[in-house]
Amino acid sequence: MNLISLIGAVEIGLVFALVALGVYISFRVLDFPDLTVDGSFPLGAAVAAAMISGGINPITGTLAAIVAGCLAGIVTAWLNIRFGILHLLAGILTMTALFSVNLRIMGRPNIPLMNQPTVIDLFAWLRPLVEASGLPGRPTLKVLALLIIVSVVGALLARFLTSEFGLAMRATGANPRMAQAQGIPTEMHTYIGVAMANGLVALAGALFAQTAGFADVTVGTGTAIAGLAAVILGETIFRTRSIVIGIFSCVFGAIAYRIAIALALNTGWLGLQSSDLNLVTAVLVAMALILPKVANPMRSLLKRSAT
Amino acid sequence: MISLSDVHVTFGRGTPLEHRALRGLDLTIPEGEFVTVIGSNGAGKSTLLNVLSGTARPERGSIIVDGTDVTRWSAPKRAKLIARVFQDPMAGTCERLSIEENMALAFSRGSVRRFGRALDASRRALFREKLSMLGLGLENRLSDSMGLLSGGQRQAVSLLMSTLTGMKILLLDEHTAALDPRTAAFVLDLTRRIVEEQKLTALMVTHSMRDALDHGTRTVMLHEGTIVFDIAGDQRKSLDVPDMLNLFRQARGDELSDDNLLLGMGAKQAAAVRAGKTASS
Ligand SMILES: Nc1ncnc2c1ncn2[C@@H]1O[C@H](COP(=O)(O)OP(=O)(O)O)[C@@H](O)[C@H]1O
Ligand SMILES: [Mg+2]
């Protein structure tokens, strides 16, 4: 694998680190398997691309994308809480609706963002550093910019989840009955958590559009599962309950996953092509979900024979 | 003071599975009273506690705590007044969270949760001190996952958690039923200590008549959603388990046939029971 494709893998890995953090909030913290993200990722890309190509400041465009993602999450949470629709189905409903919404926002299926200002330009002060390193300029700058954004978001999220409010959100997912008995308004925490998760994924979509240079209505397919793959990979590497390490492992898992995929594609392993990505991801996630169940009886057998 | 009047709760209303769990229940509990609640399975004991904690809504009747009508209050809103320990040791704590995180959750019960750190040195010191009172060595395991503790340890921690804030009412729903006899005795003793030390108003559901008589200051028996007897004071002191069993059978016999002939009980005995019931309520 050459340097350019490695940097490219880290870049997309960092974008998906934000997806992984969103999925971590909904699937792990809240125990709310939310599939809205397949729609909120392209939503973020669509909002940012439409606004930036319309001449609006990229920071405003990115913030608007986050807000749009939060709103999408609130719709899903509302369908689930207010009307008792199964969370999976509520997410699919919102995601389906978002496909049309995203087309409306963009006005066409694809918006290229060539030579437009992006949030990456905010990090132009890093350029001397990049040039001194001798690494390819533009891609390295993008990676550094994303690294800073992901680090800040990760640190904020860690601080949030260890606060009283964040702990209440974790209790909402871990044991809602206990949470209520402790005076925690679990519905409010679900609304806020699902909104945050989709806001993060929309941020990822907005950054994707600005680093990849385009937004397309189809970029969302498989987002939830890709995020879950990163979360699971991180959890497998760092077996922990600690929130701080948990967040770090999401980021690490997302990057490691993309590098592994890039390696597999590059070496032509099993004759895989980039279009096989979703198949590979789905198979890996399915295996990760199946394996612990298969392994457990064996483990308990081993334990029993040991004692 | 807690006062429930004419409380009705029906599950599955209008369906073939309609079940009237509480049928016009009246109960007044003065401040500082420790009431033990007995009754057969399905009598409505848990529903009574759920109605108090706000997790079941009565379709009729009112619940007044210290002069405030809380009938329409949600469960989280009532949590500042009411703490509870569940029968299932898994239910009252989060096994995915650590001991100290569970205690931090309970520490903020009834106050607004903001963005300050849930855990800091002073809180940890407080939790350590509280845990050491249990004598289980848990004060050295603050960051252990709750899921690592035994059922008895979890119930003990649940009890401790319920006392971290100044609540008025403690609800205990067969909180020792899932424990082995020794652990159950330990948790019961801990309950008694906590209720006495903090001068709590408490309701404890138990399936053991022995425990119901040995603990608390008053005993009520539920049957089919109403209170069928209610004893306190000297009358209660003079009762033993066989007497209770008699009352229990009789209450159920009353249901089947008013003249008590079915269970071969004397009319005199039945009258005595009815008198007792009205005298103490
Ligand atoms: N959420 C519920 N939905 C339907 N029926 C319920 C529910 N909770 C309790 N019941 C029924 O109400 C009756 C009283 O239940 P409960 O208060 O739990 O009894 P117990 O005295 O054993 O604690 C039982 O017949 C039970 O099956
Ligand atoms: Mg019960």
Side-chain angles (χ1 to χ4, degrees), chain A residues 302-307:
Chain A
L302 287 175
K303 260 191 197 157
R304 223 174 295 154
S305 57
T307 52

Side-chain angles (χ1 to χ4, degrees), chain B residues 40-47 50 87 173-174 205:
Chain B
S40 47
N41 274 332
K45 306 180 296 293
S46 298
T47 308
N50 287 340
Q87 170 175 355
D173 192 354
E174 300 196 36
V205 175

Side-chain angles (χ1 to χ4, degrees), chain A residues 55-147:
Chain A
I56 294 171
N57 182 314
I59 300 176
T60 315
T62 306
L63 292 177
I66 296 174
V67 172
C70 291
L71 291 176
I74 288 171
V75 170
T76 299
W78 182 64
L79 290 173
N80 172 253
I81 293 171
R82 178 72 180 76
F83 302 104
I85 298 174
L86 182 68
H87 34 36
L88 286 169
L89 188 55
I92 291 172
L93 285 171
T94 312
M95 180 239 286
T96 305
L98 280 174
F99 185 82
S100 305
V101 173
N102 294 341
L103 268 170
R104 282 279 179 181
I105 291 171
M106 300 210 292
R108 54 202 147 121
N110 186 297
I111 298 181
L113 279 181
M114 293 303 168
N115 306 319
Q116 308 270 10
T118 66
V119 284
I120 305 300
D121 301 337
L122 292 177
F123 298 87
W125 50 273
L126 287 169
R127 195 149 275 147
L129 189 71
V130 174
E131 273 157 18
S133 74
L135 293 165
R138 181 77 190 159
T140 309
L141 183 65
K142 283 197 285 190
V143 164
L144 282 179
L146 287 172
L147 192 61

Side-chain angles (χ1 to χ4, degrees), chain B residues 106-124:
Chain B
F107 187 78
S108 305
R109 187 180 56 238
S111 54
V112 181
R113 292 166 208 263
R114 297 187 206 280
F115 299 100
R117 286 190 191 282
L119 287 163
D120 58 24
S122 72
R123 281 197 185 177
R124 285 199 173 96

Side-chain angles (χ1 to χ4, degrees), chain A residues 50-303:
Chain A
M51 288 177 76
I52 292 169
S53 70
I56 294 171
N57 182 314
I59 300 176
T60 315
T62 306
L63 292 177
I66 296 174
V67 172
C70 291
L71 291 176
I74 288 171
V75 170
T76 299
W78 182 64
L79 290 173
N80 172 253
I81 293 171
R82 178 72 180 76
F83 302 104
I85 298 174
L86 182 68
H87 34 36
L88 286 169
L89 188 55
I92 291 172
L93 285 171
T94 312
M95 180 239 286
T96 305
L98 280 174
F99 185 82
S100 305
V101 173
N102 294 341
L103 268 170
R104 282 279 179 181
I105 291 171
M106 300 210 292
R108 54 202 147 121
N110 186 297
I111 298 181
L113 279 181
M114 293 303 168
N115 306 319
Q116 308 270 10
T118 66
V119 284
I120 305 300
D121 301 337
L122 292 177
F123 298 87
W125 50 273
L126 287 169
R127 195 149 275 147
L129 189 71
V130 174
E131 273 157 18
S133 74
L135 293 165
R138 181 77 190 159
T140 309
L141 183 65
K142 283 197 285 190
V143 164
L144 282 179
L146 287 172
L147 192 61
I148 292 170
I149 294 173
V150 170
S151 304
V152 169
V153 169
L156 285 174
L157 188 59
R159 180 65 183 74
F160 172 80
L161 288 175
T162 50
S163 72
E164 294 222 324
F165 192 91
L167 183 60
M169 187 178 282
R170 286 156 67 199
T172 297
N175 186 347
R177 184 155 164 238
M178 178 268 197
Q180 289 196 355
Q182 298 301 340
I184 294 166
T186 50
E187 292 189 351
M188 178 192 81
H189 281 280
T190 306
Y191 274 113
I192 294 177
V194 178
M196 277 174 60
N198 283 282
L200 275 175
V201 174
L203 170 63
L207 294 176
F208 173 83
Q210 294 173 69
T211 51
F214 71 95
D216 191 288
V217 282
T218 62
V219 293
T221 314
T223 306
I225 296 302
L228 197 55
V231 171
I232 291 172
L233 182 61
E235 284 172 345
T236 316
I237 298 171
F238 304 89
R239 302 183 167 277
T240 177
R241 283 180 314 99
S242 148
I243 280 293
V244 177
I245 302 175
I247 284 172
F248 179 77
S249 72
C250 287
V251 174
F252 185 89
I255 299 170
Y257 183 65
R258 287 294 160 165
I259 292 178
I261 291 287
L263 272 174
L265 295 179
N266 240 279
T267 54
W269 186 66
L270 290 180
L272 290 175
Q273 323 175 357
S274 59
S275 58
D276 297 328
L277 178 63
N278 280 349
L279 175 64
V280 173
T281 310
V283 169
L284 284 180
V285 170
M287 270 165 46
L289 297 176
I290 294 164
L291 280 180
K293 293 204 176 94
V294 179
N296 262 337
M298 310 238 309
R299 214 177 296 149
S300 65
L301 274 179
L302 287 175
K303 260 191 197 157

